[in-house]
Amino acid sequence: MVDCKLPLRSFIMLIITLTEFTSLVSTEVYVVIVEGDPVVHYYRFSATSAPSGKKRNVSNNFVAAHVAYLTRKQDFLLESTFAKRNYKKLYSYHHLINGFAVDITPEQADVLVKRSQVLHMEKDTRLTTMTTHTPEYLGLPTGCWAELEGGLHNAGEGTVIGLVDTGVDPRHPSFSDQVPNSYKPPISYSGKCEVTSDFPEGSCNNKLVGARHFAAAAISAGEFNASINFASPLDENGHGSHTASTAAGNNGVPVVLGGFNYGNASGMAPRAHIAEYKALYRNIGGFFADVVAALEQAVIDGVDIISLSLGPTSTPRGTTYLQLLDVAMLSVIKAGIFVTQAAGNSGPYPKTILSYSPWIVSVAASTHDRTYPNFIFLGDKQKFPGNGITPGTDGEGMYNLILASDGRMRNLSNLDVDDCQDPDHFDIAMVEGKIMICTYSFRFSLGISTIGGLISTAHTLKAAGVVFLISSEMTERQRFIPVAVEFPAITIPSVNDSLAILKYYYTSRERSATGVMIGTGAQAKILGGQQANFSSIPPQVTTFSSRGPDVDSSDMNVADLLKPNIMAPGHLIWAAWSSIGESTSDGLKAQNFAMISGTSMATPHIAGIAALVKQKYPDFSPAAIASAMATTAFVVDSSGKPLLAQHPSNNVTEELGTATPFDFGAGAVNATAALDPGLIFDAGYEDYITFLCSIPGLSNSTIFLATRSKCVPGTNHLPSDLNTPSLTIANLTGSRVAVRTVTNVASKGEIYTASVTEPTNVSIKVEPEVLSIEGGEAKPIALTLTATRSSAIASFGSLLLRGNEGHMVRIPIAVLLKKPVP
């Protein structure tokens, strides 16, 4: 029995403990913006505010004094609001935004938000990840790298790419500085390497120059699991190592799995330095409060490029451009740092884009030209293609087939074993030495069953191999990702082919008079799919890649802004994986490399190429870097045919159709051409404020509270006036004039001739039609768009500026609602 007679002191302590526990479980993390300019605003930072356009040094005595002042004011606000100090301050933000993250109860939040010093407050939101041969595919070795001084051995030298992700495995050879051409420490980077028991001294080097972790919000939310999540920069997931090596991993690292060499891996900017800011965690994703803290640290440390393979799980409430993550990234841009973000993996439907603002380069994902063909040969000479990066069955001989339901234990006749997940459900004598026939169903889509479980079952039963059929309940729009395993296996992605294999099996099966299977004459062999096949197939927009048009609010109003911005390879990308990383979604054991897909994989391609552009043009603003890639992107293949999209957003029922700018932005990135763009469309912080001030329904006071910047009175701008390398008009009533300013970044003058491809039901006039522009000169180009027929269907065109020195500058044009004026 329990003695309930507690001493009075113990009883009081118990009540206090219970009260504290009740408070703990009812608290939530809030991000609060308060009065006072953050560092990048207080010192009026911009991409071109310092001599030669270089980033200003934010680590000086004046900045330190201002940071201390802001922190004191924040602490005073909290202390004066909550006299008992029954709150937990997680972070103090002072460079990108002036505010803090605090763990308090909803009742306390109601009190805090009423204080006059509080400009904005919102509950912390969850973020998620947007989950090689591609350097050759993008033409880097013979093109872009060769164009840079020093070639491959200097590609990205001196630039620092900061990645906010799941951490990094410092032991991976992709991040070693023990290479023939040794690395020098970056001059302008001042970041540190966090040291913990699982990320010991020496983990960083002159390649991996910085690594920190940010988990206060995840811990306060009760999501952090110390048994699988590391409170250090170490990557327990694998995603962060993958993106970091894609952006800037060492060149020539052998990709070896199961003793088979799949080739060599390289980052886009193999000589760039890597700084990892861990704010995402296994089975968690991340929280805004942690991500902003990571962004702040990256700016303080002095990175050149920031890559974000993360985003919200859905469209945020209110104005998309003023969600706290986007406001923070606007300040990153003001500090002169290029930011790229994954477009999202919610395609192919329209308005699924999850990266919204014009100061962010939003990246769509494409396929590339490498495939791993695999085949199964049947005993009746039929041959079927499939997926599976696997070895073939041993030798040249054929093996008997066994359907999963025919191989199960006799006493389990009513159990569905078609997914082949448990070896105890099978009679090993029936399966051993045969090729198992298993079936893909929605159980795999839901994660209940995994390919890892299937392979483990077949291996335990000593099967000769596995053929994985698609059930008739699935549709062929379900795209199967080939998985690298060390066991003979093949996935048949066609319903018709799957039925044909089953028909062959059933007609060859022998049963006893009582219906018990006694044998089968069905035989097969698996060819294997470890050898890559390289074709001339141009890139296609992947089904999963999120699509435009962009929206400016949670009301899903279409914006006068093009999203996504550009496309890069994001399908079946080989890159580094953490040696302690979690198994992939297929349930397979993690290895040092993984082939995965997502806009998460496309984004670091753009980050690496941006580093190469930054290396050649150190004075370029973030917008100039983005423009160089956008205006040189390609939208047609080598034969002049338009690029295609899997289920294009303007007709998602179509298996494969012509891609539009709402699928791929400006087009597929051309790294070599981006190093010599000819003209750029530049923009800076004040231009983005003007853009915000032009959005209908967005008040000047709201913009000031979010950005600490005021709208200029008396101006009459439209969102489409922003000087982007694209033109999108959501509602064209009558005519509209849009002006773009181009700057010649070539070494000498050039004469450009304009030509226009008009969107359907729109006429366009360009002035001037011939533009003569000197090196370093900036000139305007006016486009007058007129609706010629009413239509609510989006139509697309382009402006092409062809220079007499060989430069080709292209911007896409999109017009949605069209209404002529009589």
Side-chain angles (χ1 to χ4, degrees):
M1 294 183 59
V2 177
D3 185 354
C4 296
K5 296 179 180 180
L6 294 174
L8 180 61
R9 178 179 176 83
S10 298
F11 182 78
I12 293 173
M13 291 302 295
L14 176 61
I15 293 297
I16 292 173
T17 302
L18 289 173
T19 302
E20 289 178 345
F21 178 75
T22 302
S23 174
L24 176 64
V25 296
S26 63
T27 62
E28 294 179 287
V29 177
Y30 293 83
V31 179
V32 185
I33 298 179
V34 296
E35 289 182 333
D37 287 339
V39 169
V40 296
H41 295 271
Y42 187 77
Y43 288 98
R44 298 295 180 257
F45 281 83
S46 71
T48 56
S49 61
S52 302
K54 297 180 180 179
K55 300 190 301 294
R56 292 274 293 271
N57 180 9
V58 297
S59 298
N60 54 50
N61 293 334
F62 295 102
V63 170
H66 186 62
V67 167
Y69 169 75
L70 294 178
T71 303
R72 287 196 303 272
K73 296 282 284 185
Q74 295 169 12
D75 291 342
F76 179 77
L77 171 63
L78 286 169
E79 291 166 4
S80 61
T81 304
F82 308 118
K84 295 182 179 180
R85 299 195 180 188
N86 53 346
Y87 60 86
K88 183 178 181 182
K89 185 181 181 185
L90 306 180
Y91 295 110
S92 180
Y93 307 121
H94 31 62
H95 276 72
L96 304 180
I97 58 176
N98 176 30
F100 48 83
V102 62
D103 192 4
I104 52 178
T105 66
E107 293 75 19
Q108 288 176 304
D110 290 339
V111 174
L112 182 60
V113 76
K114 295 174 183 176
R115 295 297 301 268
S116 60
Q117 300 96 318
V118 175
L119 304 180
H120 179 80
M121 183 169 74
E122 66 181 60
K123 191 184 300 183
D124 197 10
T125 54
R126 189 184 290 267
L127 301 166
T128 185
T129 58
M130 299 298 177
T131 297
T132 171
H133 155 71
T134 46
E136 286 77 13
Y137 179 64
L138 294 173
L140 271 65
T142 58
C144 185
W145 292 345
E147 292 287 327
L148 293 166
E149 183 179 350
L152 163 64
H153 301 297
N154 196 45
E157 190 77 43
T159 58
V160 180
I161 300 176
L163 299 102
V164 180
D165 215 295
T166 66
V168 65
D169 182 353
R171 296 162 292 192
H172 200 282
S174 292
F175 313 121
S176 172
D177 65 353
Q178 300 301 303
V179 293
N181 185 22
S182 61
Y183 288 96
K184 297 178 181 178
I187 297 174
S188 60
Y189 183 75
S190 60
K192 294 179 174 60
C193 189
E194 184 179 339
V195 175
T196 66
S197 59
D198 46 45
F199 206 83
E201 189 80 38
S203 293
C204 291
N205 52 50
N206 285 339
K207 175 66 173 180
L208 178 62
V209 293
R212 299 194 184 200
H213 91 285
F214 304 84
I219 292 171
S220 289
E223 298 279 354
F224 194 91
N225 182 349
S227 66
I228 60 172
N229 301 132
F230 292 97
S232 78
L234 185 62
D235 183 9
E236 74 266 14
N237 176 285
H239 188 275
S241 298
H242 198 280
T243 56
S245 66
T246 301
N250 285 323
N251 178 259
V253 178
V255 179
V256 179
L257 286 87
F260 189 86
N261 190 324
Y262 290 91
N264 293 330
S266 174
M268 300 300 103
R271 293 292 298 178
H273 305 279
I274 295 169
E276 185 73 24
Y277 299 88
K278 180 180 177 181
L280 305 178
Y281 295 85
R282 179 177 176 177
N283 296 344
I284 298 174
F287 290 89
F288 170 79
D290 292 329
V291 169
V292 172
L295 287 171
E296 283 232 325
Q297 192 61 57
V299 172
I300 294 169
D301 293 345
V303 302
D304 299 289
I305 308 290
I306 290 180
S307 180
L308 300 173
S309 289
L310 57 83
T313 55
S314 61
T315 303
R317 296 196 312 175
T319 303
T320 52
Y321 311 132
L322 293 184
Q323 61 164 318
L324 288 177
L325 181 60
D326 285 51
V327 170
M329 287 192 283
L330 178 56
S331 292
V332 173
I333 295 297
K334 188 174 175 61
I337 299 168
F338 175 90
V339 180
T340 183
Q341 183 184 22
N345 294 339
S346 302
Y349 294 96
K351 296 185 181 180
T352 50
I353 190 79
L354 292 172
S355 176
Y356 309 99
S357 296
W359 45 89
I360 303 165
V361 175
S362 309
V363 188
S366 75
T367 62
H368 53 90
D369 68 341
R370 182 190 58 213
T371 59
Y372 289 90
N374 198 347
F375 294 90
I376 184 170
F377 294 88
L378 302 185
D380 64 356
K381 307 301 183 184
Q382 291 188 85
K383 174 183 175 183
F384 297 100
N387 297 332
I389 308 174
T390 74
T393 46
D394 289 340
E396 296 296 322
M398 304 290 281
Y399 293 81
N400 286 340
L401 290 165
I402 181 73
L403 188 65
S405 56
D406 287 336
R408 67 188 158 194
M409 301 291 288
R410 295 281 177 87
N411 62 339
L412 300 175
S413 58
N414 294 323
L415 182 67
D416 183 355
V417 295
D418 290 349
D419 57 358
C420 303
Q421 295 296 295
D422 189 343
D424 292 337
H425 293 161
F426 294 91
D427 181 349
I428 189 170
M430 291 288 289
V431 177
E432 185 175 358
K434 300 182 179 70
I435 296 176
M436 290 185 75
I437 301 176
C438 305
T439 306
Y440 185 98
S441 66
F442 281 115
R443 293 176 62 85
F444 286 87
S445 299
L446 298 173
I448 299 171
S449 302
T450 66
I451 292 181
L454 181 152
I455 297 297
S456 176
T457 295
H459 189 270
T460 300
L461 296 172
K462 300 180 181 180
V466 170
V467 56
F468 197 31
L469 304 184
I470 181 172
S471 68
S472 57
E473 70 187 44
M474 306 297 290
T475 68
E476 293 189 21
R477 284 187 57 186
Q478 175 76 37
R479 295 196 174 269
F480 294 90
I481 306 302
V483 176
V485 296
E486 302 169 33
F487 188 83
I490 184 171
T491 300
I492 306 299
S494 164
V495 172
N496 289 336
D497 290 351
S498 296
L499 292 174
I501 293 171
L502 285 174
K503 181 180 179 180
Y504 165 69
Y505 177 82
Y506 289 139
T507 57
S508 306
R509 186 169 54 180
E510 301 174 20
R511 290 187 180 275
S512 67
T514 59
V516 176
M517 178 184 163
I518 57 176
T520 175
Q523 291 188 318
K525 68 176 179 179
I526 298 170
L527 182 64
Q530 292 181 314
Q531 296 294 336
N533 180 53
F534 301 95
S535 67
S536 57
I537 297 175
Q540 298 173 0
V541 184
T542 62
T543 299
F544 61 77
S545 188
S546 288
R547 314 298 172 91
D550 192 22
V551 295
D552 60 17
S553 70
S554 52
D555 294 332
M556 304 304 284
N557 299 318
V558 177
D560 286 352
L561 185 71
L562 181 63
K563 289 290 174 176
N565 297 112
I566 200 161
M567 181 172 72
H571 180 64
L572 303 182
I573 305 300
W574 278 120
W577 201 253
S578 177
S579 58
I580 60 163
E582 70 173 317
S583 299
T584 64
S585 59
D586 300 297
L588 296 167
K589 182 181 178 181
Q591 301 188 63
N592 280 346
F593 286 90
M595 175 188 283
I596 55 177
S597 301
T599 52
S600 277
M601 285 62 255
T603 302
H605 281 84
I606 294 300
I609 294 170
L612 300 177
V613 176
K614 180 73 173 178
Q615 180 186 8
K616 183 172 181 180
Y617 301 99
D619 297 346
F620 266 19
S621 69
I625 296 173
S627 175
M629 289 188 280
T631 60
T632 57
F634 63 94
V635 296
V636 296
D637 62 21
S638 58
S639 63
K641 295 179 181 178
L643 296 184
L644 303 177
Q646 297 170 358
H647 305 286
S649 57
N650 60 351
N651 186 9
V652 295
T653 60
E654 188 177 14
E655 183 76 17
L656 198 62
T658 301
T660 75
F662 290 163
D663 298 313
F664 59 25
V669 67
N670 183 337
T672 302
L675 292 184
D676 186 20
L679 303 176
I680 60 166
F681 296 72
D682 207 356
Y685 177 81
E686 297 301 333
D687 299 304
Y688 298 129
I689 295 298
T690 300
F691 166 82
L692 292 173
C693 294
S694 69
I695 296 174
L698 194 57
S699 69
N700 292 358
S701 60
T702 300
I703 295 168
F704 178 75
L705 290 178
T707 67
R708 306 300 295 163
S709 296
K710 297 180 179 179
C711 297
V712 178
T715 55
N716 186 22
H717 292 279
L718 296 170
S720 58
D721 292 334
L722 181 63
N723 199 45
T724 59
S726 62
L727 176 58
T728 300
I729 298 178
N731 189 340
L732 179 62
T733 301
S735 296
R736 184 184 299 188
V737 178
V739 178
R740 292 292 184 267
T741 299
V742 295
T743 302
N744 186 359
V745 295
S747 58
K748 60 181 179 179
E750 194 163 358
I751 299 173
Y752 286 86
T753 302
S755 61
V756 172
T757 300
E758 294 178 336
T760 303
N761 301 321
V762 177
S763 67
I764 300 178
K765 180 181 179 181
V766 182
E767 294 180 300
E769 293 182 354
V770 178
L771 177 73
S772 179
I773 185 168
E774 296 299 320
E777 188 178 13
K779 284 189 173 182
I781 297 177
L783 293 88
T784 303
L785 292 83
T786 303
T788 58
R789 174 181 270 182
S790 294
S791 173
I793 300 174
S795 55
F796 306 93
S798 63
L799 168 66
L800 178 64
L801 299 172
R802 190 186 304 267
N804 65 341
E805 296 292 334
H807 291 107
M808 302 273 283
V809 179
R810 181 188 175 280
I811 68 168
I813 300 171
V815 183
L816 287 89
L817 186 65
K818 289 147 301 245
K819 184 178 180 181
V821 173

